[in-house]
Amino acid sequence: MVMGDSDASMGTAGSVAELTVGIVGLGLIGGSLGLDLRRRGYRVLGVSRKAATCDRAVARGAADQASVELSSLAPADVIILCTPLNVLGKTVEQLRPHLKPETVLTDVGSVKGPIVQEIEPLWPNFVGGHPMAGTTEQGIEAALLDLFQDRPYVLTPTAQTPAGAVERVKELAIALGSKTYICAPEEHDRAVAWISHLPVMVSTSLFQACRREETPAVRKLAQQLASSGFRDTSRVGGGNPELGLLMARYNREALLASLTSYRESLGQVMALIEAEDWDGVEATLRQGSEDRPLFL
Ligand code: NAP
């Protein structure tokens, strides 16, 4: 069951702003969260792998204090894990000896099923999360204010997740100006396979296809003529390769299902064009323009 909570207000700043929020992984998402949360009055403690990143996070205003030591997060009431997907579990194992039992953990990983399965047994006060916002950049220099404003923020509690932990993370998401949604981890993974992971693979395949143009002068001309349409359709394929790779590894099944369906759709469009079935081509294009507002 997917539920949308349309409350995009700033939350009750009085009580929640007294919280100390820890952020592990001060990159695009972790840094952006730090910038926004500090601006809203939260105390933010950051941890990242490199000391230089910690220094830049403090200099940029993304953390009040930052360190390479996970033990520095001991005072945190809520900790947001913003590292790449493949180190989230290991991070929780290293973090848990330092935490108060009531500390709420959440993550921002782009895949939820395997991550929730890995972390929930390590820390019961854990709520899977995924803010649906990003850019093609990475690292602390890419962090932006208001990245999450008016964007969906998905929470994926299970039957075991304490209700209080869900509320606490939801309050943070609302304070960021996000629109919160609650669904099962597997539903999240199937949904984002369609609208996030499939587009990354489709978009990257566009570049692969364009490289096959045999005449170098035509290939060069295509690169020079690329404008707004190509910018829109290729943006997500030109981003952080590590992120795309981890999406594919962690959401393999749902991504393959969506890619198979996409290959079928391409085949259908090709068949219509080969058959010069212009009514069919037009109907397909019309369906696309009718469907787009349902997504955006
Ligand atoms: P990013 O810009 O590369 O940031 C990740 C940061 O984590 C790096 O800057 C790195 O900082 C730090 N880090 C790496 N390994 C670490 C470790 N073992 N311990 C502590 N810090 C570590 O990546 P991102 O785009 O913010 O993505 C982070 C998470 O957000 C991922 O789980 C991703 O699935 C999720 N997400 C991404 C997007 C998006 O569009 N980018 C959107 C929603 C969710 P150092 O400089 O210290 O090495």
Side-chain angles (χ1 to χ4, degrees), residues 30-281:
S32 301
L33 285 169
L35 286 173
D36 275 355
L37 292 172
R38 280 196 72 240
R39 199 176 53 164
R40 284 155 171 82
Y42 293 86
R43 178 169 173 245
V44 174
L45 304 177
V47 165
S48 212
R49 187 174 46 179
K50 297 185 193 135
T53 302
C54 296
D55 293 345
R56 277 303 291 154
V58 173
R60 288 209 56 200
D64 292 281
Q65 294 167 34
S67 155
V68 294
E69 300 295 338
L70 286 167
S71 59
S72 67
L73 298 185
D77 301 297
V78 181
I79 296 178
I80 312 175
L81 306 162
C82 303
T83 59
L85 288 169
N86 58 331
V87 293
L88 286 170
K90 196 179 74 183
T91 304
V92 175
E93 276 175 6
Q94 293 168 349
L95 190 57
R96 63 182 176 163
H98 307 292
L99 302 184
K100 312 178 268 190
E102 64 272 23
T103 300
V104 172
L105 287 192
T106 185
D107 75 310
V108 297
S110 315
V111 182
K112 295 274 60 89
I115 297 302
V116 171
Q117 240 175 22
E118 190 179 8
I119 299 182
E120 199 168 60
L122 298 174
W123 196 260
N125 232 1
F126 169 75
V127 188
H130 183 196
M132 303 291 305
T135 71
T136 52
E137 306 298 318
Q138 65 187 107
I140 185 64
E141 300 305 337
L144 292 174
L145 270 171
D146 289 330
L147 183 64
F148 311 100
Q149 182 74 45
D150 299 326
R151 302 295 176 152
Y153 198 123
V154 193
L155 301 180
T156 61
T158 67
Q160 281 77 48
T161 312
V166 180
E167 276 314 302
R168 185 134 271 195
V169 180
K170 196 171 145 187
E171 281 167 3
L172 282 183
I174 290 171
L176 294 166
S178 297
K179 184 173 173 180
T180 56
Y181 292 85
I182 294 190
C183 66
E186 297 69 26
E187 286 176 316
H188 164 276
D189 292 351
R190 284 171 57 194
V192 297
W194 290 114
I195 54 82
S196 175
H197 303 175
L198 173 64
V200 168
M201 297 305 157
V202 167
S203 168
T204 208
S205 306
L206 267 183
F207 293 112
Q208 296 293 323
C210 292
R211 286 177 76 86
R212 291 201 194 95
E213 166 54 50
E214 286 165 3
T215 309
V218 173
R219 195 164 61 231
K220 179 79 187 157
L221 184 63
Q223 289 166 356
Q224 289 166 330
L225 299 186
S227 185
S228 45
F230 195 77
R231 179 180 299 117
D232 290 348
T233 45
S234 69
R235 183 180 68 81
V236 291
N240 179 355
E242 186 191 10
L243 209 62
L245 173 66
L246 290 172
M247 281 172 183
R249 271 180 53 193
Y250 280 77
N251 203 18
R252 180 175 169 273
E253 207 176 308
L255 175 59
L256 280 175
S258 64
L259 278 165
T260 303
S261 172
Y262 184 68
R263 187 168 59 190
E264 274 169 30
S265 300
L266 271 185
Q268 282 164 5
V269 172
M270 279 179 71
L272 291 171
I273 295 172
E274 270 163 9
E276 301 189 37
D277 179 353
W278 306 125
D279 288 343
V281 172

